[in-house]
Amino acid sequence: MLDDESRLTSVRATALGAVPDEALDRFARMVAKIVRVPVALVSLVDDVRQYFPGATGLDQPWATTRQTPLSHSFSRQVVMSAKPLVITDARGDDRVCNNPAIEDLGVVGYAGLPLFDDQGNILGSLCAIDTAPRIWTDAELDLLDDLAAACSAKLRLRITATRAKREVEARVAAQIVAEQLSNRLTLAFDRGQALLAASTAFANTETLDGVVAAVSNLLGGTLGPSQVGLFIRDDQDRIELTSSTQLPPWLADRRPISLTDPLPATDAVRTSTPVFLDDRPAILARYPHLAEEIEAVGWHAIAAAPLPGPGRTMGALFFAWPEPHPLEIDEQAVITSLAGYVAHALQRASHLQDRVFAAETLQRAMLSQLPPLDHLELTARYQPAHHRDQVGGDWYDAVKIDKDLAIVIGDVAGHDINAAAQMGQLRSILRGYLVDRHEPPSALLRRLDNANHLLGNHSIASVCLAYVETTPDGSHLLWSNAGHPPPVLVGPDGSARTLPGRDPLLGASRLLGRTNHRLPLSPGSTLLLYTDGLMERRSETLEEGIARLHSCLAAHAHLSLDELVDAVIAAVPDPGHEDDIAVLALRIPRHRHPPPETGRDEQQPGREAR
């Protein structure tokens, strides 16, 4: 298996060696960060060694040499078995206990996922390595599997680009005559470079708009077309022009175009075969009914390449030239390869769009509608982390209970579907308690903590639960805080202060006593509840973040409640924040009678009985 020629050919076609590659180093860093391991590798295996074009956390001399003999390779077992290799403690595992990498590289816990080329050959593995025994969770292995799939796709693009370049160079070299050799080799190299540049451009696209923009950039350049079009097939077997560099109205106005229409793009889609016509007579011989249109737009050569997709052709990539343009075998190969890059980019964009839509839909479904209130102002905001498809465990809630209002802000540990699901369960249980019984916040949080344990969820979460009590004498806040960032109260004069009292997180330990706190709310005061994503910045402490929040609140206290919250969201968080942000704000209107002044917070005299 290690010396299989097809596999070794693909390994060599990656054009990678025992030197750092920026993209693959990035994959290694992602593995180390996501599954929290000290060492992560992108390991390629040939017949005599393993080498690491992607690596992080290696000690010397391995960090410099970036390779080992096969005697030190766990990845060789991944290649030979064609399966993931997951090891809790290598020192006691019969499969690898004699491997010198345990001593030399400190490999103890190991999870290696295979990296495939487009023919099913295993090139090596994506490795997560711990220097201590490690029990790998299903969630961690799923994440590694997703990263390995993405890394495999990157390697396949490199292999495709290398093979395409070699094919172009070989075909050009076979056709040129001796006196044209120098010029044709130069042209072939330029086209190969253009193909590699296009490969990179399409590999970096993540949306349909990005693919459209990359297609538009093909105008001119080495291929020299005067017009470029991207046609995408819809569910009704029509093709829609989504990218056009001023294609003629007679074509643009026919959108969407039926696949039965005899046109170059529809023929390419319907037959999954490229259409290459390099002069006007060739065009008119195949499409005589388009004579007037072709004359009007001045086309003398056209090409339409199908976009291969899973199960059917996805569309076509179209080029036109204003002069006769010999479409020789090398240029046909370039155009066909470009169509392949476009097809892969469209599939990736569609997949990412589906994931983003699903994540956004799930998150929106979990956010509560705020109840209508006639005696209080209430508003909320939710801003997801700057990741394409992540949902998280942040939530807010507000439940009207007779004349009182219960407000909640919470955060379940994690930034994935699992965290969102756990959040949904906690939110639903707490809502049920709120409408079923009117108990102090501390009692309900203890009930929630106990239910979390008994139902087997074992979620770790921070929650702040508060009642806004309205009486003839004014409004009061009664709250209990389970490990959540402290609420901020902005007085009528604009001064901001943090509310005290913070008990342990939910899930930290069972049957903990929890404390209630009570505070009068003056007319014109504003209460802000938030999750930690609002303030966290890598470059500063939590105290600095709280000070920045207080300063922003004080500077904008005169604004309406919605304007104030928008100002906070715009100014306080890190612009590239990696955590979700939930904010719930409440204001006591100024026209209410002021509550009795006590001058200090009133903590409930006793902690709740166990």
Side-chain angles (χ1 to χ4, degrees):
M1 183 66 175
L2 287 178
D3 58 358
D4 180 81
E5 188 58 34
S6 175
R7 191 190 76 83
L8 293 175
T9 298
S10 288
V11 171
R12 289 190 290 267
T14 63
L16 295 166
V19 294
D21 177 85
E22 181 179 355
L24 299 184
D25 273 346
R26 189 179 302 115
F27 272 104
R29 291 194 297 270
M30 289 171 63
V31 169
K33 181 177 180 181
I34 290 175
V35 299
R36 300 183 300 278
V37 292
V39 180
L41 306 172
V42 177
S43 173
L44 300 185
V45 179
D46 59 23
D47 54 345
V48 296
R49 61 170 183 163
Q50 66 172 350
Y51 54 98
F52 317 124
T56 185
L58 284 174
D59 291 332
Q60 295 295 354
W62 317 108
T64 299
T65 62
R66 288 206 175 215
Q67 62 181 328
T68 75
L70 290 180
S71 60
H72 288 63
S73 176
F74 283 34
S75 296
R76 67 181 294 184
Q77 295 200 23
V78 177
V79 175
M80 295 175 67
S81 67
K83 295 179 181 178
L85 180 63
V86 180
I87 296 172
T88 298
D89 189 338
R91 297 166 299 186
D93 194 303
D94 292 338
R95 296 171 294 178
V96 296
C97 61
N98 295 321
N99 193 305
I102 298 173
E103 180 69 23
D104 294 346
L105 277 76
V107 181
V108 178
Y110 176 90
L113 280 296
L115 300 173
F116 296 91
D117 69 4
D118 56 359
Q119 299 174 351
N121 295 312
I122 302 178
L123 309 176
S125 67
L126 184 67
C127 314
I129 297 172
D130 207 330
T131 55
R134 176 69 172 264
I135 297 176
W136 305 93
T137 67
D138 289 342
E140 290 171 334
L141 295 176
D142 287 344
L143 287 170
L144 285 173
D145 189 59
D146 287 344
L147 289 172
C151 189
S152 294
K154 185 68 175 178
L155 292 172
R156 288 195 290 269
L157 284 174
R158 294 188 67 102
I159 292 170
T160 299
T162 300
R163 288 173 176 169
K165 181 181 177 182
R166 291 171 180 171
E167 288 175 5
V168 171
E169 292 173 346
R171 288 170 179 170
V172 169
Q175 294 177 23
I176 57 177
V177 292
E179 63 272 17
Q180 297 175 322
L181 180 60
S182 177
N183 291 337
R184 295 295 298 274
L185 284 175
T186 300
L187 179 60
F189 177 79
D190 290 344
R191 286 175 176 168
Q193 292 297 101
L195 190 63
L196 291 174
S199 169
T200 301
F202 285 114
N204 290 331
T205 58
E206 297 179 350
T207 65
L208 176 59
D209 288 343
V211 177
V212 169
V215 168
S216 299
N217 289 337
L218 298 176
L219 185 64
T222 302
L223 294 175
S226 60
Q227 292 177 314
V228 180
L230 174 61
F231 295 85
I232 298 180
R233 187 176 189 173
D234 65 17
D235 294 335
Q236 285 74 46
D237 276 341
R238 302 172 300 184
I239 58 173
E240 176 70 37
L241 176 64
T242 59
S243 173
S244 169
T245 52
Q246 297 180 346
L247 286 179
W250 63 265
L251 182 56
D253 291 346
R254 298 171 74 163
R255 299 179 296 173
I257 302 169
S258 171
L259 282 184
T260 60
D261 286 356
L263 299 168
T266 56
D267 285 351
V269 174
R270 188 175 58 254
T271 65
S272 300
T273 303
V275 175
F276 296 116
L277 303 170
D278 53 13
D279 58 28
R280 180 73 62 81
I283 298 174
L284 298 182
R286 182 159 178 173
Y287 302 103
H289 61 289
L290 297 179
E292 292 184 7
E293 289 86 349
I294 296 297
E295 177 69 27
V297 296
W299 289 349
H300 284 266
I302 58 175
L307 306 178
R312 67 173 194 170
T313 302
M314 300 170 58
L317 182 62
F318 178 84
F319 297 90
W321 289 266
E323 302 291 340
H325 187 84
L327 291 163
E328 299 178 358
I329 193 67
D330 58 322
E331 190 158 347
Q332 293 182 22
V334 171
I335 292 173
T336 302
S337 296
L338 286 173
Y341 296 149
V342 173
H344 283 300
L346 287 174
Q347 292 179 57
R348 183 175 58 253
S350 177
H351 177 65
L352 290 175
Q353 183 178 3
D354 289 345
R355 292 184 65 175
V356 169
F357 178 77
E360 290 177 347
T361 300
L362 176 60
Q363 193 72 64
R364 284 195 300 270
M366 291 180 176
L367 297 178
S368 301
Q369 292 291 327
L370 299 182
L373 302 171
D374 55 5
H375 62 290
L376 297 169
E377 297 179 39
L378 186 66
T379 193
R381 300 288 186 276
Y382 176 83
Q383 190 174 92
H386 284 200
H387 300 287
R388 289 186 304 272
D389 57 352
Q390 288 194 350
V391 293
D394 291 22
W395 91 93
Y396 61 79
D397 205 353
V399 180
K400 190 176 181 181
I401 306 171
D402 297 328
K403 294 183 179 180
D404 297 338
L405 177 69
I407 54 177
V408 182
I409 195 84
D411 184 1
V412 174
H415 303 285
D416 53 22
I417 296 294
N418 184 51
Q422 292 176 350
M423 176 269 281
Q425 293 180 16
L426 290 179
R427 170 183 171 275
S428 298
I429 293 171
L430 183 54
R431 278 202 139 205
Y433 288 156
L434 287 170
V435 300
D436 180 63
R437 61 195 69 202
H438 193 61
E439 293 182 341
S442 60
L444 293 184
L445 289 179
R446 286 192 67 242
R447 290 185 184 278
L448 181 62
D449 204 0
N450 195 43
N452 179 48
H453 177 81
L454 293 178
L455 294 175
N457 296 332
H458 304 301
S459 305
I460 299 295
S462 65
V463 182
C464 184
L465 169 61
Y467 289 118
V468 181
E469 302 171 336
T470 302
T471 69
D473 296 329
S475 299
H476 288 76
L477 183 70
L478 177 65
W479 79 95
S480 184
N481 188 340
H484 199 77
V488 177
L489 183 64
V490 183
D493 61 353
S495 60
R497 60 167 171 153
T498 297
L499 298 187
R502 190 176 183 185
D503 298 326
L505 295 163
L506 296 185
S509 180
R510 292 191 64 200
L511 304 178
L512 288 170
R514 296 192 178 278
T515 308
N516 292 313
H517 305 267
R518 180 181 293 276
L519 181 72
L521 297 174
S522 302
S525 59
T526 300
L527 179 69
L528 189 79
L529 282 69
Y530 55 91
T531 54
D532 54 12
L534 181 68
M535 297 183 307
E536 287 184 344
R537 295 192 180 191
R538 294 181 179 180
S539 60
E540 65 183 23
T541 65
L542 178 61
E543 289 74 17
E544 290 172 329
I546 293 176
R548 189 175 66 257
L549 173 60
H550 284 198
S551 176
C552 181
L553 287 169
H556 299 91
H558 62 285
L559 299 176
S560 70
L561 189 61
D562 281 312
E563 291 173 334
L564 173 63
V565 173
D566 288 339
V568 168
I569 292 291
V572 177
D574 189 326
H577 60 91
E578 298 181 356
D579 199 357
D580 303 329
I581 296 172
V583 175
L584 184 63
L586 176 142
R587 178 171 287 172
I588 309 299
R590 289 183 179 272
H591 65 266
R592 292 194 56 83
H593 297 294
E597 293 293 339
T598 63
R600 63 175 60 192
D601 300 342
E602 300 174 7
Q603 180 170 313
Q604 296 297 295
R607 299 176 73 86
E608 190 180 15
R610 294 179 181 271

